[in-house]
Amino acid sequence: MSVLAVTEHRRGELRDISFEIITAGRELADELGEELNLVVIGGDVDGFAETLNRDGVDTVYTVDEGEEFNHGVYTQAIEQLHAELEPTALLTPNSVNGLDYTPAVAESLDLPLVTDAVALEGGQPVEVTREQYGGKVETTYDIDADQYAISIRSAEWPVAEDAGDAAIESFEADIDESQLGSTVNGFEEVGGGDVDITEADVLVSIGRGIEEEENLPLVEALADTLGATLSSSRPIVDNGWLPKNRQVGQSGKVVEPDVYIAIGISGAVQHVAGMKGADTIIAINTDPNAPIYDIADYGIVDDLFDVVPQLIEEFGGEAPDV
């Protein structure tokens, strides 16, 4: 028996969740007294397998099918590998792709499924912790089954870094193309741009508190003064005030800058999941009970329209009139 973890890649690069799921999987496997196996599907599977060969991984299975994510390929490959290995636990990323195929696989294999896990404790039954009500409540679920599936939230486990000595094996999945239902013909980045917020050392991030698009130049001036990159929570992108590539959160990008300045952001769990890995978090919000203060290292409970101009001037900039 084993723990089987599904890795994830995009546009030729492995995503951080692939290395976080190694840590989560190894911890669970140790508690269960089982092996940890990974599977990488599509893309440069040989290169990915070498990179995924981290300490604690017993075997990396490669499925050389396609380049980018395809629902039918993933579901068929995972179901067939699951039948071959009969793992106790199937771990998947709680990502857009992961939430696409995981329920389908769980339904097909008749596996109980718990999504968006932030903590796991092996045993019989296994205990899975989730957050509810915007992260204000943690709930623990017992899975009393011999086999089960769990999707894990990104940025909850540290990245596995040390090199390992895992076996690398090719798994020949029998993909029935007539059952795929779709074909990937190309890839287009929606709302793309020349800024990658995941590479920024300092992020100035804005939320609903900015009130109007006409007020954005104020935080843009702060970002320019600090030599920082501007990012935002989802409502700003939904309003069309900033492009999608600036969004931080579960439906945006996961960032780990040295400094994250959250301005007018309440701190909903979906946003926090994308930025809580920052080394230093500074929050500016009028609400002293805003959830963002639960994870902030420093907080200013005040009106951003009073605080931000003072910060700009303090660091040698000039605040615009808004």
Side-chain angles (χ1 to χ4, degrees):
M1 301 296 285
S2 65
V3 172
L4 175 61
V6 184
T7 61
E8 183 166 302
H9 59 88
R10 182 172 178 270
R11 301 308 303 275
E13 294 184 0
L14 288 164
R15 310 197 77 179
D16 287 345
I17 186 63
S18 294
F19 303 99
E20 296 162 6
I21 207 169
I22 292 175
T23 303
R26 185 65 264 169
E27 291 176 358
L28 179 60
D30 285 344
E31 292 173 356
L32 296 174
E34 299 178 355
E35 293 185 346
L36 171 62
N37 298 321
L38 306 183
V39 58
V40 57
I41 303 170
D44 178 16
V45 291
D46 293 331
F48 290 153
E50 291 295 337
T51 306
L52 290 166
N53 191 349
R54 301 293 170 97
D55 185 39
V57 179
D58 291 287
T59 304
V60 180
Y61 290 94
T62 63
V63 180
D64 190 8
E65 291 284 347
E67 291 298 323
E68 294 292 345
F69 172 76
N70 180 288
H71 170 87
V73 171
Y74 267 64
T75 54
Q76 291 186 46
I78 294 169
E79 288 169 10
Q80 292 172 30
L81 184 58
H82 192 279
E84 179 80 16
L85 301 179
E86 297 185 347
T88 299
L90 172 66
L91 300 186
T92 65
N94 197 72
S95 61
V96 172
N97 288 353
L99 291 175
D100 176 286
Y101 65 81
T102 305
V105 170
E107 173 67 19
S108 175
L109 298 177
D110 196 25
L111 301 175
L113 168 63
V114 178
T115 61
D116 201 23
V118 298
L120 304 174
E121 186 172 339
Q124 188 62 33
V126 64
E127 295 183 358
V128 183
T129 301
R130 303 177 78 249
E131 291 182 343
Q132 295 179 307
Y133 304 109
K136 296 179 181 179
V137 176
E138 285 191 348
T139 305
T140 300
Y141 296 83
D142 290 345
I143 306 179
D144 191 8
D146 294 332
Q147 293 181 301
Y148 44 83
I150 303 169
S151 70
I152 71 165
R153 184 187 297 179
S154 63
E156 292 295 335
W157 282 268
V159 168
E161 296 181 344
D162 296 336
D165 57 356
I168 298 177
E169 298 185 14
S170 174
F171 180 76
E172 299 296 331
D174 183 15
I175 304 299
D176 184 352
E177 294 188 2
S178 68
Q179 298 299 314
L180 292 183
S182 64
T183 302
V184 180
N185 295 320
F187 189 97
E188 182 177 348
E189 187 75 57
V190 177
D194 58 357
V195 175
D196 184 357
I197 60 174
T198 65
E199 298 295 326
D201 294 326
V202 181
L203 283 173
V204 172
S205 203
I206 187 63
R208 294 181 189 270
I210 197 64
E211 297 178 356
E212 297 179 287
E213 184 177 8
E214 289 71 19
N215 295 328
L216 277 178
L218 182 62
V219 289
E220 290 173 340
L222 177 60
D224 290 342
T225 300
L226 297 176
T229 299
L230 183 66
S231 59
S232 76
S233 61
R234 180 171 178 171
I236 303 303
V237 173
D238 286 348
N239 287 339
W241 299 351
L242 286 175
K244 178 71 173 179
N245 66 310
R246 300 279 184 160
Q247 181 182 329
V248 175
Q250 279 185 323
S251 57
K253 295 186 177 181
V254 176
V255 297
E256 296 181 347
D258 296 332
V259 179
Y260 189 88
I261 305 176
I263 303 174
I265 294 175
S266 63
V269 63
Q270 292 86 353
H271 182 77
V272 169
M275 45 68 71
K276 66 181 177 180
D279 289 341
T280 300
I281 299 171
I282 302 169
I284 302 171
N285 198 295
T286 56
D287 181 5
N289 297 313
I292 193 69
Y293 288 123
D294 293 337
I295 63 167
D297 298 289
Y298 302 96
I300 303 173
V301 182
D302 206 338
D303 191 329
L304 72 88
F305 295 104
D306 294 328
V307 175
V308 173
Q310 294 182 52
L311 288 175
I312 293 172
E313 293 175 8
E314 180 68 24
F315 286 95
E318 183 174 344
D321 294 328
V322 295

